[in-house]
Amino acid sequence: MAELDPLTITAIMFLSMLGLMALGAPLAWALTICGVGSAWMIYGDGGLDLLISSTFSAMDNFLLVALPMFIFMGLVLQRSGITDDLFEMIHKLMGRLPGGLGIGTVIICALIAAMAGVSGAATVSLGIIALPAMLKRGYDSKLVTGTIMAGGALGFLIPPSVLMIIYAFLSRDSVGKLFAAGLIPGLMLAGIYIAYILVRCRINPLMGPPAEEQFTAKEKFLSLRFLIAPGLLIVTVLGCIIGGVTSPSEASAIGAFGSLVIAGIQRRLSWDMLRYVMLTTTKLMGMLMWITIAAVFFSKIYVGLGAGQIVGELIEDFDLSPMWVIIAMLATYFVLGMFLDDFAIVFITVPLFVPIVRELGFDTTWFAVLFILSMQSAYLTPPFGYNLFYMRSVAPPEITIGDIYKAALPFVLLQIIGLALVVAFPEIALWLPSLLF
């Protein structure tokens, strides 16, 4: 094996990993097995020392403390009924507008994204709460399911995003800078969804009929109180990070404590809820840390082969312009997203792609936003987009998986439009970071 050229070794490593995953092996085991086998065959017994150093380098990083804290914060808020309160507020404020509940659902998804940091939280919560409510009021089932799935995916882009933290850990970029870069594209994408819903319901009002209930101005005003607690938490956490007041890890602890205070004030804090939240956080972090150790080990071996040089030579051989290289990377993300989850893709590709992006002279913060946008599309892309399955788990039996696939396609196109805008106008992602950093 040691006599093989690096390109052949690369092919063997990645095909072996994908083969193991196709057989059902967990990502952490697939990466570890391929890494250990490659290290031993390329470097001999000494290559296995890389596994020890990779474990220490993965664990000895204060940034990763933010992961369990943000996951904990999101789970506490989800279990404390924040989503129910926000949907009630939106129903009172926008229910009379054609498509108003769909527009409000996108807004709620953006708020949950800013509190939870993960995609599944908003999709499942609103699938349970908003989906039956809108179907009962005569909303088109495809419009409703598509809106909830696409809105749920905003958790990737709107900070604090767990995926952005992992990306920053692997790429050595500033988390605060990535959070700032994701904010405007995230709001832009939410605006694109809202415009789409407005246009569809304007053309065909039966797709999103106005609610029959009437609410007074006082009732509408009083419903805004549901925004106070989550709003303060979002502003505090993001303000601390983006403003440079605290590190992301410290801000995540503030957010976790704040979520407990909110649940306590609303009298929804209980031992059963805490037990569920802590167990779920521990399970998710256990999975993430095993993948992190295995991925760092795998990437160290791969980079040691001269991966950047290999890809650089391929680019020279095919005489590709820098922008076409970026487009090829995004196309790779789109294809991988049909079959792999976001954590697998970030651990596999970031150590390879980011050095190339730097070598080509592009801003890695801009590329991070492109990556996150690609992952949002991947979560909605058949056949294995995760939000499609989240929706299937909470949708009524009459909505088939085929209906869910069809509902997702218009929003995939909208996300591609958003991605194209950020590719064509990098300032969309880079303006706020340049202002703050």
Side-chain angles (χ1 to χ4, degrees), residues 19-31:
L20 286 169
M21 291 176 66
L23 292 172
L27 175 61
W29 283 108
L31 287 168

Side-chain angles (χ1 to χ4, degrees), residues 222-284:
L222 289 176
S223 71
L224 291 172
R225 71 186 185 277
F226 296 128
L227 265 181
I228 295 172
L232 283 174
L233 187 64
I234 292 166
V235 170
T236 301
V237 172
L238 295 186
C240 286
I241 297 171
I242 296 175
V245 179
T246 65
S247 69
S249 301
E250 292 161 344
S252 68
I254 294 170
F257 178 73
S259 67
L260 290 174
V261 171
I262 291 172
I265 290 172
Q266 296 181 340
R267 298 182 180 180
R268 292 167 176 168
L269 187 63
S270 66
W271 286 113
D272 286 340
M273 185 187 80
L274 280 176
R275 182 176 178 274
Y276 166 83
V277 168
M278 296 193 73
L279 278 174
T280 306
T281 302
T282 303
K283 288 176 183 177
L284 287 172

Side-chain angles (χ1 to χ4, degrees), residues 51-271:
L51 181 57
I52 298 170
S53 65
S54 299
T55 303
F56 276 104
S57 65
M59 296 296 100
D60 187 27
N61 193 307
F62 189 56
L63 174 63
L64 292 182
V65 174
L67 288 178
M69 292 296 183
F70 279 132
I71 292 171
F72 179 90
M73 180 181 82
L75 288 170
V76 169
L77 292 172
Q78 181 186 351
R79 298 286 289 191
S80 62
I82 290 284
T83 308
D84 303 73
D85 294 339
L86 290 174
F87 188 75
E88 182 184 338
M89 179 194 74
I90 289 295
H91 174 54
K92 290 178 178 178
L93 292 176
M94 306 183 70
R96 296 290 298 168
L97 181 72
L101 292 181
I103 294 167
T105 297
V106 174
I107 296 170
I108 295 173
C109 285
L111 289 170
I112 294 175
M115 291 185 288
V118 292
S119 171
T123 305
V124 173
S125 298
L126 288 165
I128 293 170
I129 298 162
L131 179 60
M134 287 193 279
L135 291 177
K136 184 180 177 181
R137 288 171 173 81
Y139 272 65
D140 180 78
S141 61
K142 291 187 178 65
L143 180 67
V144 171
T145 51
T147 298
I148 294 173
M149 291 187 293
L154 290 171
F156 284 122
L157 196 55
I158 295 178
S161 163
V162 169
L163 189 61
M164 275 190 182
I165 295 172
I166 295 173
Y167 183 100
F169 164 73
L170 293 170
S171 68
R172 305 303 178 189
D173 283 312
S174 162
V175 175
K177 201 171 180 182
L178 294 189
F179 280 1
L183 190 57
I184 292 178
L187 296 176
M188 177 193 73
L189 203 57
I192 291 173
Y193 297 158
I194 288 171
Y196 170 75
I197 294 167
L198 274 172
V199 170
R200 289 293 304 275
C201 292
R202 181 71 67 180
I203 294 171
N204 183 4
L206 294 177
M207 294 190 74
E212 295 178 359
E213 299 96 326
Q214 295 276 6
F215 298 101
T216 64
K218 182 181 178 181
E219 287 175 318
K220 291 179 180 180
F221 179 75
L222 289 176
S223 71
L224 291 172
R225 71 186 185 277
F226 296 128
L227 265 181
I228 295 172
L232 283 174
L233 187 64
I234 292 166
V235 170
T236 301
V237 172
L238 295 186
C240 286
I241 297 171
I242 296 175
V245 179
T246 65
S247 69
S249 301
E250 292 161 344
S252 68
I254 294 170
F257 178 73
S259 67
L260 290 174
V261 171
I262 291 172
I265 290 172
Q266 296 181 340
R267 298 182 180 180
R268 292 167 176 168
L269 187 63
S270 66
W271 286 113

